Amino acid sequence: MASLLGSGVYFWQGNEACAYGAIAAGCRFFAAYPITPSSEIAERLARLLPLVDGIFIQMEDELASINAVIGASWAGAKAMTATSGPGFSLMQESIGYAFMTETPCVIVNVQRVGPSTGQATKAAQGDVMQARWGTHGDYVPIVLSPNSVQEMFQLTVRAFNLAEKYRTPVILLVDEIVGHMREKIEVPPIKEICIVNRKKPKKGDRSFFAWAEVAPMPTLGEGFNVSVTGSTHDEYGVRFTADPEVHRRLISNLVDKIEKHRNDIVELEAWNTDDCSTAIICFGCTSRAVYEAVEEARRKGVNVGYVRLKTLWPFPAETIRRLAQRVEKIVVPEMNLRQLFYEVERAAYGMAEVTAVNKIGGGQIITPEEILEEILS
Amino acid sequence: MSSKFSIQRYLRGLVFPFCPGCGNFIVVNSFLKAVHELGHQDLSGFVFCSGIGCAAWIPSPYFLADSIHTPHGRSIPVATGVKLFRPELEVVVFGGDGDLAGIGLNHLIHAARRNVDIKVIMVNNMVYGMTGGQVAPTTPFGTVTTTTPYKSFERPLDVTRLIAAAGANYAARWTTVHPEQFKEAVKKALKIRGFSFIEMVSQCPTAFGRRAGFKNVAEMLQWFKQNSILKEKAEKMNWKELEGKIVIGEFVCRQEPTLGDNVRQNIWRKTHG
């Protein structure tokens, strides 16, 4: 590992940084199906994983990819897959399965223009709600959103750490711009990278599921005779396909496991939000235009601040609510037709005016000027 | 064989949920006998993967072993992930014809092509049993099911022949009137390295038999017996003569390198210089 990835300054593509971040986090199994604009992650890991005795396999489709990842995770691997919108749609059933069975794994979605085949090579942020509500039934996903090549590395490591800590699938929701752009990245010494590993059971343990806190996770072949099922099950993994109480207890425990640790999971970057009159809520590549728009606005004498969501889900509604109490206006720029906007509006509860800046198609970013215009309007 | 066969040794002691007369009981019995005869005192070292459907409930959670009950059709990719990362584990997949040859057929073909070292047992009851008896990709032409009330109008898939052609190291088909042959096939499949596939043609009296015109289980078993033709004999017959017949026996048995062999020997050896 040390020889594979020395600390230092590199000039990398976002997708490349994701691959190296995965290796640094301890990822030793990767299964995926080629899809633009995420394929560089697979191409890089196809080279890197054999060097650390890890497994790379290109599967026949995205359904197979996510399920191979789930199998490898139960076999003891830190495992990941990478895809884009269409593949992410195909994976949804099994993302729900990973949530239900408490299988730690990382799913990278480098978003492109949709729906359907859309514009395969062009940037978009249209999967915010698919990442939140994509699978059927009730669940809470953890979704992280990087805005730089540096963060592609860091949040990939963090995605693995959160997956292991909370025994749940974690989605890294990237956009094509962050995935494909190249910029400077500083890789810290491997010893300084915080790595979290899943809690293992003790000999004689039999209860591996549905705790309100995180249950220990056995590895296959260690003699625990674990029964894993996506059907409603009790703490011993035994199916209860009709009992309402078992289902309510299971789901509320799985949801609580994440909801109760919001403070640990939610990360955001806030700037000048204490006394600004207008605040911007942003994520991913759009935030890069926000930085410039905010500076320009301040030069024009408008007191503007911003919150950038590094964790999209769970959504930091309380932070937004308190912000709405202080500011007059909240602007939500995003490369979709109002997905985060409604969530912000809901959290603001009418206490501040919430306006949107939206742009879709062709991978055209929202410019600083367009955001500035909305700030000043 | 070091001791007398006791099926309880391999089970959790939960009650199987299958209908009276279900072929799954024969599969459970014969499979575990094979395991016993190979000298396994318990199922440690085994991992069972199964999807959705009645056959998928054979191991999960009834076998006293590690088992993963996966989304519908996805048992084979899950098993592939397990086997690739932990090659020392014996990974066995149970599934029905709907699970493995309907929704999951793509994975089945690719697993055979890769020759991944997993063992797949497909219980073919020719119908979607758990959902109430809908037509399957394996239903014989002209059968009444709940979704083919005027008789089925599609031809069934010969899954074992397909998998033999796709690159499996071992592929065989038997029926529930051939439990001994099935047991021997399981033993062989477990001993051979590489992708092994056994199709067990099985009776579903509840969701298939009663609509297809069978009065009872015995009639279904009689049907299997009368229509089964050994592969060696079938090879001398033309397709018209084989219509509606069940070709039984070994379709392929070879020792090609497995996916795991290729990953570890070819790729790792190269990268490590």
Side-chain angles (χ1 to χ4, degrees):
Chain A
M1 180 65 213
S3 62
L4 177 69
L5 178 62
S7 60
V9 176
Y10 297 90
F11 186 67
W12 278 349
Q13 189 193 51
N15 283 345
E16 235 179 331
C18 174
Y20 280 104
I23 297 285
C27 174
R28 292 298 178 268
F29 187 96
F30 180 87
Y33 183 80
I35 186 167
T36 304
S38 80
S39 300
E40 295 85 3
I41 298 172
E43 288 167 351
R44 183 57 56 171
L45 282 169
R47 282 180 176 276
L48 296 180
L49 275 167
L51 302 175
V52 291
D53 286 353
I55 298 283
F56 169 91
I57 186 149
Q58 185 173 310
M59 295 300 281
E60 54 272 22
D61 56 30
E62 286 88 350
L63 306 165
S65 303
I66 178 75
N67 281 287
V69 160
I70 288 166
S73 181
W74 278 98
K78 288 190 182 179
M80 179 169 100
T81 184
T83 186
S84 185
F88 192 54
S89 296
L90 287 176
M91 289 182 188
Q92 289 303 331
E93 182 193 10
S94 297
I95 292 172
Y97 179 87
F99 177 81
M100 192 71 154
T101 53
E102 302 177 71
T103 307
C105 57
V106 175
I107 301 110
V108 184
N109 173 6
V110 187
Q111 296 164 97
R112 67 191 221 185
V113 173
S116 189
T117 311
Q119 294 177 319
T121 62
K122 302 301 180 192
Q125 297 180 314
D127 299 352
V128 173
M129 282 299 169
Q130 190 185 196
R132 173 62 187 88
W133 297 108
T135 204
H136 58 284
D138 297 292
Y139 74 118
V140 183
I142 297 177
V143 182
L144 311 181
S145 165
N147 85 333
S148 65
V149 172
Q150 184 75 47
E151 263 188 16
M152 276 296 266
F153 184 91
Q154 286 164 345
L155 291 192
T156 301
V157 174
R158 185 158 198 263
F160 275 99
N161 287 347
L162 291 171
E164 293 286 315
K165 187 171 181 181
Y166 295 107
R167 248 188 88 182
T168 196
V170 175
I171 295 157
L172 190 70
L173 194 66
V174 188
D175 43 65
E176 184 273 342
I177 290 172
V178 175
H180 275 166
M181 72 181 172
R182 290 176 185 275
E183 59 185 3
K184 192 179 92 169
I185 169 174
E186 220 178 307
V187 176
I190 189 79
K191 282 191 202 109
E192 287 172 23
I193 298 174
C194 164
I195 302 293
V196 178
N197 294 311
R198 64 191 71 168
K199 190 166 75 185
K200 307 282 291 175
K202 294 188 296 291
K203 205 171 183 298
D205 281 357
R206 287 175 59 233
S207 160
F208 308 125
F209 301 96
W211 294 11
E213 288 300 322
V214 185
M217 181 176 174
T219 302
L220 300 174
E222 288 183 343
F224 287 100
N225 291 331
V226 59
S227 164
V228 184
T229 177
S231 296
T232 294
H233 50 270
D234 66 8
E235 58 269 43
Y236 305 109
V238 174
R239 270 192 301 276
F240 283 80
T241 55
D243 190 315
E245 263 322 298
V246 175
H247 186 76
R248 283 177 206 142
R249 194 174 68 227
L250 169 64
I251 298 303
S252 58
N253 282 346
L254 295 187
V255 168
D256 282 355
K257 187 174 79 169
I258 291 164
E259 285 291 349
K260 279 184 183 164
H261 298 94
R262 271 174 171 272
N263 290 344
D264 178 47
I265 296 165
V266 171
E267 253 191 3
L268 40 83
E269 174 194 337
W271 185 77
N272 194 39
T273 50
D274 288 337
D275 66 342
C276 64
S277 55
T278 298
I280 301 170
I281 313 291
C282 59
F283 64 97
C285 68
T286 309
S287 63
R288 314 271 295 219
V290 169
Y291 295 155
E292 199 176 318
V294 166
E295 261 182 46
E296 193 54 34
R298 288 175 68 82
R299 271 199 286 275
K300 289 183 188 299
V302 186
N303 195 1
V304 184
Y306 68 81
V307 175
R308 176 170 72 89
L309 307 180
K310 293 166 79 170
T311 308
L312 276 173
W313 307 105
F315 184 72
E318 183 58 27
T319 307
I320 304 299
R321 192 183 63 79
R322 276 188 268 112
L323 187 67
Q325 286 171 335
R326 295 198 298 270
V327 302
E328 287 160 25
K329 183 160 124 179
I330 296 176
V331 179
V332 187
E334 50 187 332
M335 290 168 70
N336 59 46
L337 296 180
R338 301 190 172 195
Q339 295 198 17
L340 193 68
F341 169 83
Y342 290 116
E343 201 65 18
V344 173
E345 196 180 46
R346 185 181 65 80
Y349 210 70
M351 292 183 291
E353 181 195 4
V354 183
T355 66
V357 183
N358 306 98
K359 197 189 261 187
I360 58 168
Q364 290 186 327
I365 58 160
I366 299 171
T367 63
E369 292 74 27
E370 286 164 329
I371 297 167
L372 187 65
E373 198 182 315
E374 187 57 39
I375 292 169
L376 300 175
S377 75
Chain B
M1 249 180 296
S2 55
S3 61
K4 201 169 158 285
F5 175 61
S6 155
I7 198 164
Q8 297 307 333
R9 184 192 291 276
Y10 306 101
L11 300 174
R12 282 184 204 271
L14 303 165
V15 178
F16 279 103
F18 310 130
C19 304
C22 176
N24 280 356
F25 291 112
I26 298 169
V27 176
V28 170
N29 233 318
S30 306
F31 177 82
L32 291 176
K33 266 187 191 153
V35 165
H36 168 76
E37 287 177 17
L38 287 175
H40 299 280
Q41 294 302 304
D42 55 36
L43 293 172
S44 59
F46 280 83
V47 172
F48 295 94
C49 296
S50 60
I52 299 298
C54 297
W57 278 8
I58 288 174
S60 165
Y62 305 98
F63 284 8
L64 185 58
D66 288 332
S67 66
I68 307 188
H69 179 225
T70 77
H72 195 16
R74 314 301 162 212
S75 52
I76 287 182
V78 169
T80 303
V82 172
K83 185 68 189 183
L84 274 174
F85 199 70
R86 294 285 301 281
E88 73 278 16
L89 296 174
E90 183 73 84
V91 182
V92 181
V93 171
F94 279 93
D97 44 310
D99 192 50
L100 293 170
I103 190 169
L105 181 64
N106 195 23
H107 309 311
L108 184 62
I109 297 169
H110 284 284
R113 172 182 67 81
R114 291 186 177 107
N115 202 20
V116 56
D117 187 14
I118 61 175
K119 318 297 157 193
V120 178
I121 292 163
M122 187 183 88
V123 183
N124 178 5
N125 61 6
M126 298 163 283
V127 80
Y128 284 90
M130 191 175 266
T131 45
Q134 296 82 12
V135 70
T138 43
T139 306
F141 190 91
T143 307
V144 173
T145 73
T146 59
T147 49
T148 52
Y150 311 114
K151 293 187 177 176
S152 63
F153 43 80
E154 296 176 25
R155 294 184 300 174
L157 182 66
D158 186 339
V159 186
T160 301
R161 198 150 66 97
L162 172 71
I163 294 314
N169 260 2
Y170 184 77
R173 179 191 289 121
W174 295 102
T175 81
T176 44
V177 293
H178 307 92
E180 270 304 305
Q181 292 92 328
F182 172 75
K183 185 193 76 187
E184 291 305 317
V186 170
K187 282 160 73 176
K188 204 159 177 181
L190 287 172
K191 278 191 275 188
I192 285 175
R193 301 185 70 251
F195 189 79
S196 301
F197 178 82
I198 306 171
E199 175 179 346
M200 180 68 143
V201 177
S202 176
Q203 74 278 11
C204 174
T206 309
F208 181 89
R210 64 192 167 113
R211 288 190 193 93
F214 295 97
K215 286 199 191 70
N216 50 45
V217 175
E219 267 192 16
M220 296 188 80
L221 295 177
Q222 202 58 37
W223 172 47
F224 294 163
K225 206 167 182 178
Q226 283 165 358
N227 281 282
S228 293
I229 293 183
L230 272 170
K231 177 146 189 304
E232 292 70 23
K233 192 178 169 195
E235 273 163 5
K236 298 187 189 87
M237 295 163 72
N238 66 40
W239 65 272
K240 198 71 197 164
E241 291 168 316
L242 283 171
E243 223 167 68
K245 302 291 182 201
I246 304 164
V247 180
I248 52 170
E250 234 170 56
F251 282 62
V252 68
C253 183
R254 57 192 164 202
Q255 296 194 316
E256 289 299 302
T258 71
L259 175 68
D261 295 340
N262 292 334
V263 166
R264 287 183 165 74
Q265 286 166 19
N266 298 345
I267 299 177
W268 285 359
R269 196 175 288 165
K270 271 178 203 150
T271 53
H272 292 304

